[in-house]
Amino acid sequence: MDPSAHQSSTETIAQFGKYVIPNYRRYPVSLVRGEGSWIWDAEGHRYLDFFPGWGCNMLGHCPPRVVEAVREQVGQLIHVPNTWYMEAQGAFAQALSERAFGGQCFFCNSGAEANEAAIKLARLYGYGSGRFKIITMEGGFHGRTYAALTATAQPKYHAGLEPMLPGFTYVPYDDLQAVANAMDDQTAAVMVEPIQGEGGINVPSADYLPGLRKLCNERGALLILDEVQTGLGRTGRWFAYQHHEMAPDILTCAKALAGGVAAGVMMATTDVALFLKPGTHASTFGGNPIACRAGLAAIETIENDHLLERGKAIGERFRAQFEALRAELPEHIREIRILGVMIGLDLTFDASDVVAKCLERRLLINATHGHVVRLLPALNLSDDQIDEGCAILAEVIREVAV
Ligand SMILES: *Cc1c(COP(=O)(O)O)cnc(C)c1O
């Protein structure tokens, strides 16, 4: 690649300083091109990406079928408003429904929006019987818009923004009794991530989701699963709830939903979905043909390339590497939490130095919740790439963990 084809990272950073609101902490690198799990910066350096697109690029950078579908679609129609029918949206809805619990879809453009739709639908459904309260879990993450943010039971995200939306109750994660105690005849829904992502890759006990399903049935509340991060193959199944014998009433998904193109969806069983009547909710860009064609191409890629199976194998290879490292550093690695390509390495010390030192060695990873190394690698990561990245990560952890 010719680096002179791009403005330097320094120039881009200076431009941001002047014209872009500084609400993100950014690494001092401008990225210009990606292919699979490799990504290049403006200076032509190549990085191995174990966190492609913050979980959105689950098929790696620029997956060929997605690129082709988007190219074809932009030459036909870029946008069609939801006052018309369009083939791609119907086909994508059918593909998702058939891989989930047979419900219907409402499309939007992000995870927060999908959760807004879910919260609104739960309230619309409960309105006639006086049910409006939503129970969510401590340490959860549901997005940054006001209802999704209120659902996010982490005080640090609410600071300075109060008062939050009324009607939310927070209970500890993976605690069925706490949910049972919090429920009353005004409870509209319980909303939960099947695995907490931002909260530190927290995998609940096996009886948690089936237990929540049972509680909701007994008490007349809806069960909303936020699969924004776990959805569309991340855990080795299409959706994480499919590891259990149960299904939700409402499910949200975004991030990897459309092969890296911005898209979100709320799915609901048909009898719940009918409460989202014309006039109650809408999204101008939701379900646009580019996103839907990209999403169909993502599903086709996962199926044709057997990537759900591959995801499990990738997870096991990471596990073997990390178990060896833990045997070497038992004082520094508290726990290894892996389901498919959703990977958490719980350290006994702050992980931000690990991220910085990996970046110096051109390995991109993430840290969440202070001390958890979070990897959301692509489903088509190769064994060699896993070994190469794990070797770097192990060296860095040895170095930082003294
Ligand atoms: C990322 C995330 C969201 C928010 O998605 P946005 O697209 O950033 O609005 C919501 N829920 C979960 C579980 C997430 O991981």
Side-chain angles (χ1 to χ4, degrees):
M1 194 201 67
D2 176 15
S4 65
H6 292 281
Q7 173 173 282
S8 73
S9 290
T10 310
E11 287 169 306
T12 302
I13 291 164
Q15 195 169 44
F16 268 62
K18 217 165 161 188
Y19 298 110
V20 179
I21 293 179
N23 65 310
Y24 298 99
R25 269 185 292 273
R26 298 175 192 267
Y27 302 111
V29 177
S30 166
L31 298 172
V32 296
R33 186 171 75 85
E35 192 182 318
S37 291
W38 299 115
I39 191 159
W40 286 263
D41 69 16
E43 284 65 40
H45 302 126
R46 189 182 77 166
Y47 302 77
L48 178 57
D49 197 350
F50 276 4
F51 202 64
W54 204 272
C56 299
N57 296 323
M58 193 163 56
L59 303 176
H61 297 287
C62 301
R65 285 188 190 83
V66 174
V67 170
E68 199 41 51
V70 168
R71 282 205 170 116
E72 200 181 281
Q73 185 60 47
V74 287
Q76 291 171 356
L77 275 172
I78 290 178
H79 186 59
V80 179
N82 281 303
T83 40
W84 304 91
Y85 290 95
M86 62 197 108
E87 208 175 302
Q89 189 179 127
F92 191 32
Q94 180 176 351
L96 290 170
S97 174
E98 287 172 354
R99 284 159 188 78
F101 47 88
Q104 293 177 307
C105 297
F106 164 82
F107 291 103
C108 51
N109 314 287
S110 69
E113 277 178 85
N115 288 331
E116 293 289 324
I119 291 162
K120 283 179 72 173
L121 177 55
R123 286 197 168 173
L124 288 165
Y125 182 82
Y127 192 73
S129 45
R131 291 178 178 269
F132 64 93
K133 293 182 186 167
I134 315 277
I135 298 171
T136 68
M137 310 307 154
E138 289 165 11
F141 186 83
H142 300 292
R144 302 290 198 148
T145 53
Y146 256 104
L149 183 65
T150 306
T152 298
Q154 298 196 56
K156 67 176 177 189
Y157 291 122
H158 295 179
L161 296 167
E162 299 91 347
M164 308 309 288
L165 191 68
F168 283 75
T169 309
Y170 309 134
V171 300
Y173 191 57
D174 199 14
D175 184 342
L176 286 171
Q177 192 55 52
V179 176
N181 295 345
M183 282 178 146
D184 61 28
D185 55 13
Q186 292 180 321
T187 304
V190 174
M191 182 168 173
V192 61
E193 292 161 87
I195 297 172
Q196 286 185 334
E198 196 269 352
I201 316 287
N202 302 322
V203 185
S205 39
D207 63 354
Y208 186 54
L209 291 183
L212 287 178
R213 177 68 279 175
K214 190 161 166 279
L215 268 178
C216 286
N217 288 350
E218 287 166 3
R219 307 290 287 272
L222 297 175
L223 179 60
I224 303 171
L225 289 185
D226 178 345
E227 295 233 22
V228 169
Q229 191 164 145
T230 52
L232 218 84
R234 175 64 64 195
T235 69
R237 303 272 168 99
W238 286 112
F239 297 99
Y241 80 82
Q242 292 165 341
H243 292 278
H244 308 277
E245 293 295 319
M246 53 80 66
D249 303 292
I250 300 175
L251 180 148
T252 58
C253 185
K255 289 202 167 83
L257 179 65
V261 174
V265 68
M266 174 191 69
M267 288 191 258
T269 58
T270 311
D271 54 324
V272 174
L274 65 90
F275 284 78
L276 211 67
K277 293 183 173 57
T280 57
H281 197 52
S283 165
T284 299
F285 274 122
N288 68 78
I290 296 174
C292 290
R293 287 288 301 273
L296 284 164
I299 288 176
E300 191 190 313
T301 302
I302 291 170
E303 277 176 357
N304 288 14
D305 298 350
H306 309 289
L307 293 182
L308 294 181
E309 295 75 7
R310 178 64 194 150
K312 286 179 210 153
I314 292 173
E316 287 321 303
R317 199 173 181 93
F318 271 100
R319 185 184 298 284
Q321 299 261 9
F322 289 160
E323 290 293 358
L325 189 63
R326 187 160 67 144
E328 184 192 321
L329 299 170
E331 248 100 274
H332 297 103
I333 297 174
R334 187 181 293 123
E335 200 176 30
I336 298 158
R337 297 190 286 269
I338 299 180
L339 210 62
V341 282
M342 190 159 188
I343 299 171
L345 189 60
D346 196 344
L347 306 176
T348 55
F349 56 94
D350 187 83
S352 51
D353 280 355
V354 177
V355 177
K357 287 213 152 52
C358 282
L359 175 61
E360 280 169 24
R361 292 171 208 215
R362 308 218 169 104
L363 173 70
L364 307 187
I365 63 165
N366 172 257
T368 190
H369 226 70
H371 50 83
V372 180
V373 168
R374 175 171 52 159
L375 310 178
L376 296 173
L379 283 171
N380 47 15
L381 189 68
S382 72
D383 285 352
D384 285 348
Q385 287 171 323
I386 296 172
D387 297 350
E388 185 180 333
C390 284
I392 296 172
L393 192 52
E395 265 176 48
V396 166
I397 289 175
R398 277 185 208 110
E399 197 181 303
V400 176
V402 284

